[in-house]
Amino acid sequence: VDINNVAFNILGRDIYWYGIMITCGLLLALLLAKRDKNKYGISWDDLTSFLIYALIFGFLCARIYYVVFKWDYYSHHLDEIIKIWNGGIAIYGGVIGALITGIIFCRKKKINFLNLCDFCAPYLALTQSIGRWGNFVNREAYGGPTMSFLRMGIFDSQVNEYIFVHPTFLYESIANLLIFVILLCVKKKQKFEGQLFYLYMILYGIARACIEGLRTDSLYLGSLRISQILAIVFVGIFSTLYVIKCRKKS
């Protein structure tokens, strides 16, 4: 069954299911996060202010990241760079943008950066888990052909028939949900600043590196999948930091 990716229309502007999914994920994460803010020394006003800045700058960076690695196309279609409604954002660009925003915000507000990252990490995973279902509605972020019991059918106009593919959006949604649960469990016995953030970067990096290899819409630099390489680099960096912190605490 094909699902219209437009949920409804307001004053002539289409509202897409993808945006609704992301918004629902953010709102749920924000409601759950409200209970933990005092534990990390973050006021509600600071939290909401950071979220607004992180969303804006993270979104811009997610788009910039995508455009940079699709420059062969956008260099000849400059007018389409701002047409975000046609699709084209990358989660790692968003994460990098949010981290830069966090560093600047924490310096100005005199907030512990690692505390903010620990506070946000579980809820970022939850938001990603819910938001990935927007890819399902858009019929995107899927993998190559498979006959797995989790296979997803999509219509291939080139062969004029339905084919079965890896639902990589589902794999990542499940992986992020598991990461969310793991981080909540670790949080109860957190041993050092940055532990939840490091774990998020490690676990998501492992999941993304594996899943990215199945996707058919990866961003490439030459023959290398950018997000896969970046995920592996992050796993290496944050695994090292995690081990060093654990040794200091032992």
Side-chain angles (χ1 to χ4, degrees):
V1 177
D2 290 333
I3 302 174
N4 191 336
N5 61 353
V6 177
F8 50 87
N9 185 284
I10 296 179
L11 300 177
R13 175 63 65 180
D14 290 336
I15 306 300
Y16 292 87
W17 280 113
Y18 188 91
I20 292 174
M21 294 292 186
I22 294 291
T23 302
C24 287
L26 283 170
L27 290 176
L28 178 58
L30 193 59
L31 289 174
L32 293 175
K34 189 175 182 180
R35 303 176 304 170
D36 295 331
K37 65 183 188 303
N38 293 331
K39 177 181 177 180
Y40 291 95
I42 301 170
S43 71
W44 181 247
D45 286 344
D46 284 342
L47 174 61
T48 52
S49 294
F50 168 70
L51 181 60
I52 292 171
Y53 292 132
L55 281 174
I56 295 172
F57 196 59
F59 186 81
L60 288 174
C61 287
R63 180 59 172 175
I64 292 170
Y65 182 104
Y66 183 86
V67 170
V68 166
F69 291 107
K70 285 282 189 179
W71 188 244
D72 285 346
Y73 173 81
Y74 285 105
S75 62
H76 297 95
H77 302 84
L78 296 177
D79 60 311
E80 293 190 24
I81 291 177
I82 63 171
K83 294 181 180 179
I84 188 65
W85 51 88
N86 289 335
I89 58 174
I91 183 61
Y92 265 133
V95 171
I96 293 170
L99 286 176
I100 294 173
T101 303
I103 292 171
I104 297 172
F105 185 83
C106 287
R107 284 183 177 179
K108 290 192 173 183
K109 292 288 185 176
K110 294 182 172 54
I111 296 172
N112 185 302
F113 175 67
L114 286 179
N115 274 351
L116 179 64
C117 289
D118 281 335
F119 173 73
C120 292
Y123 306 109
L124 174 58
L126 178 62
T127 301
Q128 287 177 266
S129 179
I130 296 172
R132 274 299 174 191
W133 284 90
N135 297 132
F136 169 68
V137 178
N138 287 349
R139 295 180 294 281
E140 62 188 7
Y142 54 81
T146 182
M147 290 307 293
S148 163
F149 73 97
L150 286 175
R151 62 187 180 272
M152 177 179 71
I154 61 169
F155 185 76
D156 188 337
S157 58
Q158 293 184 345
V159 296
N160 200 36
E161 63 181 26
Y162 277 88
I163 61 172
F164 294 103
V165 297
H166 282 286
T168 48
F169 80 90
L170 175 62
Y171 300 163
E172 190 165 329
S173 178
I174 294 172
N176 278 306
L177 185 60
L178 289 174
I179 292 171
F180 169 67
V181 173
I182 290 170
L183 293 182
L184 288 186
C185 292
V186 173
K187 183 174 68 173
K188 295 177 181 178
K189 298 181 179 180
Q190 186 173 349
K191 296 179 180 178
F192 56 85
E193 291 179 351
Q195 185 175 11
L196 299 184
F197 172 56
Y198 295 165
L199 268 180
Y200 165 81
M201 296 299 289
I202 294 167
L203 295 175
Y204 180 67
I206 292 171
R208 185 60 186 266
C210 295
I211 296 169
E212 189 70 22
L214 299 173
R215 288 179 60 164
T216 58
D217 60 345
S218 299
L219 298 174
Y220 283 87
L221 183 60
S223 61
L224 300 177
R225 298 174 189 259
I226 296 301
S227 291
Q228 192 172 44
I229 297 302
L230 196 57
I232 293 171
V233 170
F234 280 157
V235 170
I237 292 173
F238 288 98
S239 293
T240 302
L241 291 173
Y242 194 91
V243 170
I244 291 173
K245 284 283 190 177
C246 285
R247 287 182 176 177
K248 286 183 178 180
K249 286 293 180 178
S250 61

